[in-house]
Amino acid sequence: MTSVETVRQVCLTVYQAIASVQQQHPEFLNEKYRSLPLQQPGHQATFTDRLSTRLSKLPDGQAVVAEVEATLRSLFTPDFFQTADFATLITEISQIMGLPSDSPPPPDSTASLPVPPDERPADAIALLLLDAENFQLDVATERFLAESCTCPLQVKIAFANWRSLGKKDLEFHNRHYDLMHVPGGKDMADGKMIAIGSSIHEHYPLAKEILVCSSDQVMTSLCTKLRQRGLVVYQVRKEQDGSVTIFNSHTNETWRRPNSPAIPPLEICIAQLKELIRSEQQQSGQAWIPLSRISQLFHKQNEFTISQAVTTHSPGKKARDLFLDRPGDFAVHQPPDHQEIYISLFQVAGGAVPNPVVTRSEAQEQATPVANSPNTTKVNAAKPFKQATELEAALVQIVKEATVGVAEGFVDISIVGSHFHKRYQQPVTTVLKQLQVNKKFLNFLTSCKALKVQQKNKVWQVACR
C-alpha cells in the first residue's frame, strides 16, 4: 500500500497541474470543466479527497500512475496528451512514487531541449507567424511581442487571403512582413501556417524562438511540434476583451498586454466624428456617409475604434448606438435589404429633430443636410484665407478662446478643428489644401510659432505660448 503522505503529494501535484492548464490552456480541458473555480480551496479539497480515496487502495506505484492517467483522460481532450505538460506531470508523479525515471516514458521523450540563451549562436533570431485573417496585430502589440523574446525578431510571416482584406497586404508589406497568400475558404490560412511552421527549421535554421499568433486552437499541434524540435515557442492569442496573452511554453510563464488605448471623453470622440463626417461630405459631395467609411477614418486618426470608445463609456452598447442615441446630432439611414447603415449631419428646419431611422426620401423631407443648407457657405464658394499666416492667426485666436478658464491651458486639437469648422463653415484640412500647405493639421499646429503642442495620454493637445 502507498503511504498517506505520498498519496497526498500526488493528489496535490495533479490538482495544481489541472489548475495551471485551466489558466493557461483552457482549450485542453473538456468544456464542462473550463469554467470551474479551481483556485477555490473547496474545489481543491473535494478533488484531492476523492482522488486519494481511489489511489490509497492501489497496490503499487505503477497502478497509481495508471489511475492518475485515467483520471486525466476524463478531464482533458486528446490533444493534451501530446503536450510536454502531460509528459512532465507523469514524470513528476513517477518520481514521487519512487519509480525509475524511464517508467513510464513521456510521449515527447525524443524532443530536443531548448538551447539556453547564453549558448545560442550570436546570430540566433526570433520568428513570427501570424494568422492575419483572425488576428489583427497592430504596431504597438508587435513591438511588445518583440520585446518578449530574447532573440531579435528578424522574420515576420503573415498568412491570409489578401484579396478579402482590402489594403491590409500593403500595410503588412510596409511593415516588412513576408506575405503568404491562400485561397478563400475556412481554415485555409491555418493549414498553410501549420505546413510552413512545421518545416520552419529547414528554411530558417537560425530561428531559436517562434511567436505563433493565432486564436485558433488548431495551432496547438504546431506549437507542440516546434517545442519537440528544441525551439522556444510563444503562443500568442487575442482574448475576448481585446487583450493579448503570451504563453512561453518553455518556462510556463504567461504575459498579458491589456487592451488599454487612451480613450478621451465621449464628447471629444463625438466632436471628432462630426469633423470627419463634415470633411467626408465635402470631399465626396454626398450627404450620407457609410458607417464603415466613418469607422475606417476614425480608426486611422486614433489608436482605438468607435466600438472601443462606445464600450469604454457605455458598456453593452455598439458603435451604431452612438449615432442612434443622438438624433439631435446625427441622422441614420439603412436602405431596405442592406446591412450597411449611413450617417449624416442635419440642420433641421424649424428646430424639429428627424427620426433617426427613416428612408432617405423621408429624411430629406424632414431635414436639410448641413452640406447643402442655404444658410451655410460652400467650401469652394469663398476662400477666407489667402496665406498660411492668416490661417495661423485664426487658429491662435480659436485656441485662446477655447482655453479660457482651462487650468493647464491646453485643449485637444480635435476641439480646435471643430470650432474652426463651425466658424468658417469648412474643415481646416480643406483650407490647408486650398493654401497648398503640404502638412497635416497636427504638423501645421506644431509649426506655428505662437502655439505649443503636446501629447497627453496619446491625445494631442495645443496651447498658446
Side-chain angles (χ1 to χ4, degrees):
M1 287 288 185
T2 306
S3 69
V4 174
E5 181 59 30
T6 301
V7 168
R8 178 177 176 276
Q9 188 176 355
V10 168
C11 292
L12 286 175
T13 300
V14 172
Y15 187 85
Q16 290 169 359
I18 295 171
S20 176
V21 172
Q22 184 198 46
Q23 182 179 10
Q24 297 173 354
H25 294 286
E27 70 275 9
F28 286 146
L29 279 166
N30 290 325
E31 189 170 356
K32 63 181 179 180
Y33 301 117
R34 293 175 188 174
S35 59
L36 288 177
L38 296 180
Q39 304 300 331
Q40 294 182 4
H43 281 274
Q44 177 176 328
T46 301
F47 178 86
T48 54
D49 288 347
R50 291 179 178 176
L51 183 59
S52 63
T53 299
R54 298 200 303 271
L55 298 184
S56 60
K57 299 177 181 179
L58 300 176
D60 53 37
Q62 292 284 7
V64 168
V65 172
E67 179 63 25
V68 167
E69 184 171 347
T71 300
L72 295 176
R73 293 194 180 278
S74 68
L75 299 173
F76 290 97
T77 65
D79 288 340
F80 172 71
F81 301 96
Q82 303 300 318
T83 66
D85 292 336
F86 170 69
T88 301
L89 175 59
I90 294 299
T91 300
E92 289 179 7
I93 294 172
S94 298
Q95 292 172 349
I96 293 172
M97 299 306 301
L99 298 175
S101 58
D102 58 348
S103 175
D108 62 345
S109 59
T110 59
S112 302
L113 293 176
V115 179
D118 55 354
E119 298 180 14
R120 293 173 182 165
D123 51 356
I125 64 171
L127 185 145
L128 184 148
L129 303 177
L130 172 65
D131 179 359
E133 291 186 345
N134 299 310
F135 198 126
Q136 299 304 312
L137 185 62
D138 56 37
V139 175
T141 305
E142 180 188 310
R143 188 181 303 115
F144 173 72
L145 298 181
E147 292 171 353
S148 302
C149 300
T150 58
C151 296
L153 181 58
Q154 298 286 1
V155 179
K156 299 178 292 186
I157 308 174
F159 302 80
N161 181 332
W162 297 107
R163 293 191 183 96
S164 64
L165 295 181
K167 295 184 179 180
K168 280 292 182 181
D169 56 341
L170 179 60
E171 175 190 336
F172 281 106
H173 175 73
N174 292 336
R175 288 165 57 185
H176 309 293
Y177 277 76
D178 292 330
L179 306 182
M180 302 296 294
H181 178 71
V182 300
K186 186 178 179 181
D187 298 332
M188 294 299 291
D190 294 337
K192 188 71 170 179
M193 188 167 166
I194 292 173
I196 297 294
S198 299
S199 60
I200 209 72
H201 60 289
E202 300 174 6
H203 302 289
Y204 300 95
L206 293 175
K208 302 303 177 185
E209 295 179 306
I210 305 289
L211 291 152
V212 180
C213 304
S214 174
S215 297
D216 291 340
Q217 297 180 10
V218 295
M219 291 300 161
T220 301
S221 59
L222 171 62
C223 295
T224 301
K225 291 179 182 178
L226 294 172
R227 284 198 300 266
Q228 291 173 347
R229 293 193 173 97
L231 299 172
V232 174
V233 181
Y234 301 89
Q235 289 182 257
V236 185
R237 68 183 68 220
K238 184 161 286 188
E239 308 299 339
Q240 291 184 347
D241 62 356
S243 64
V244 173
T245 57
I246 309 174
F247 173 64
N248 183 333
S249 62
H250 178 51
T251 63
N252 288 330
E253 294 178 298
T254 299
W255 304 294
R256 180 175 178 270
R257 182 180 188 271
N259 181 35
S260 55
I263 297 178
L266 192 58
E267 293 75 16
I268 293 179
C269 295
I270 293 173
Q272 287 181 333
L273 287 167
K274 289 181 177 179
E275 176 68 13
L276 287 173
I277 293 172
R278 289 189 187 102
S279 178
E280 189 67 9
Q281 284 176 330
Q282 299 293 343
Q283 293 181 22
S284 66
Q286 300 294 325
W288 297 91
I289 310 301
L291 177 57
S292 59
R293 174 61 176 165
I294 298 170
S295 301
Q296 179 185 10
L297 293 171
F298 186 84
H299 192 196
K300 186 176 181 180
Q301 187 178 86
N302 302 281
E303 292 189 0
F304 56 92
T305 64
I306 297 177
S307 296
Q308 288 175 311
V310 172
T311 301
T312 298
H313 297 293
S314 304
K317 295 278 190 176
K318 297 181 179 180
R320 62 188 298 163
D321 295 328
L322 183 146
F323 302 96
L324 289 170
D325 293 344
R326 291 167 178 80
D329 297 316
F330 307 100
V332 181
H333 165 55
Q334 183 170 13
D337 303 324
H338 280 69
Q339 294 184 347
E340 180 71 274
I341 67 172
Y342 293 80
I343 312 295
S344 185
L345 301 177
F346 283 96
Q347 181 173 334
V348 183
V353 177
N355 190 326
V357 182
V358 294
T359 65
R360 187 181 298 245
S361 60
E362 290 172 339
Q364 290 172 341
E365 290 175 1
Q366 295 180 29
T368 304
V370 169
N372 299 326
S373 172
N375 298 322
T376 61
T377 304
K378 292 184 178 181
V379 172
N380 296 325
K383 294 184 179 181
F385 303 102
K386 296 181 179 180
Q387 51 188 359
T389 53
E390 295 177 356
L391 175 60
E392 178 177 349
L395 290 170
V396 170
Q397 182 61 33
I398 290 175
V399 173
K400 285 182 179 179
E401 296 172 1
T403 54
V404 172
V406 179
E408 297 180 357
F410 281 90
V411 64
D412 292 353
I413 65 171
S414 60
I415 295 178
V416 176
S418 179
H419 287 186
F420 182 92
H421 192 283
K422 290 180 180 178
R423 180 169 302 181
Y424 297 102
Q425 298 299 322
Q426 55 186 315
V428 65
T429 52
T430 301
V431 177
L432 288 170
K433 291 179 180 179
Q434 291 174 353
L435 296 175
Q436 297 183 343
V437 176
N438 190 24
K439 292 181 180 178
K440 294 183 178 181
F441 181 37
L442 172 62
N443 295 335
F444 182 77
L445 291 174
T446 305
S447 68
C448 296
K449 295 181 180 180
L451 300 174
K452 53 183 178 180
V453 178
Q454 71 173 16
Q455 188 179 23
K456 185 176 182 180
N457 296 329
K458 298 185 179 180
V459 175
W460 287 101
Q461 300 177 327
V462 62
C464 292
R465 290 189 180 278

